[in-house]
Amino acid sequence: MTASTDAPPWERYPHQPMDEDDVALYEGWLVRELRLPRCGRCRRWHTPPRSLCPFCWSDELAFTPLSGRGIVHLAMVLHVGPPAPGVEYPYPLVTVELAEQPGLRFTSTVVDGDADPAVIGSAVELVWIDRAGAPFPAFRTTSGGNA
Ligand SMILES: [Zn+2]
């Protein structure tokens, strides 16, 4: 299946469940930006995307780009899992605490190194890999070491 580059996110990411609260996340992916909803009242980000701010219940939310830098909070390797385009097992995953806000975390694969789990506490940055013809966010460790 091929989707043209101006196709909507649900056609570019057919394996990714999405709804009206998080479709803007994937619109960001298409232009290689990691965007999460940020509250216009209390200025906090949250994830997964919701229609109201989970901290102050404001609906003044705007998907706002993040730097993609952070620290590995949790690391694991999946040895089995559902088939998906571009996914081979063992499949390394990291949950990264993003630099912008304590507790704000994003989980994806890590592209450098082997299938060994990434080291918790490592500094990482976001990179974009191609998966089934669409940009997909991933992390790689940076030389900065622990932050
Ligand atoms: Zn808020």
Side-chain angles (χ1 to χ4, degrees):
M1 187 173 82
T2 57
S4 72
T5 52
D6 56 358
W10 53 90
E11 291 182 11
R12 299 291 305 279
Y13 300 103
H15 293 270
Q16 208 77 40
M18 62 184 76
D19 61 26
E20 63 181 12
D21 287 339
D22 63 8
V23 66
L25 173 75
Y26 302 102
E27 290 170 348
W29 287 18
L30 288 174
V31 294
R32 298 170 185 261
E33 277 188 353
L34 178 61
R35 303 171 180 166
L36 290 175
R38 190 177 195 189
C39 178
R41 186 191 291 168
C42 73
R43 308 300 298 159
R44 297 168 85 177
W45 272 277
H46 72 268
T47 190
R50 297 180 182 159
S51 53
L52 293 177
C53 173
F55 303 108
C56 75
W57 292 22
S58 170
D59 64 357
E60 295 173 40
L61 300 173
F63 276 77
T64 306
L66 295 122
S67 68
R69 287 188 294 275
I71 300 295
V72 175
H73 176 79
L74 183 67
M76 68 204 99
V77 175
L78 299 184
H79 290 276
V80 290
V87 174
E88 290 180 11
Y89 298 94
Y91 185 66
L93 281 175
V94 287
T95 295
V96 173
E97 179 137 325
L98 298 168
E100 279 80 3
Q101 180 179 300
L104 185 69
R105 295 172 190 148
F106 187 79
T107 298
S108 193
T109 192
V110 56
V111 292
D112 59 341
D114 309 318
D116 295 331
V119 177
I120 290 173
S122 302
V124 292
E125 64 184 4
L126 194 68
V127 293
W128 294 91
I129 60 176
D130 181 276
R131 183 167 288 176
F136 188 87
F139 290 100
R140 71 174 171 212
T141 54
T142 62
S143 55
N146 293 354

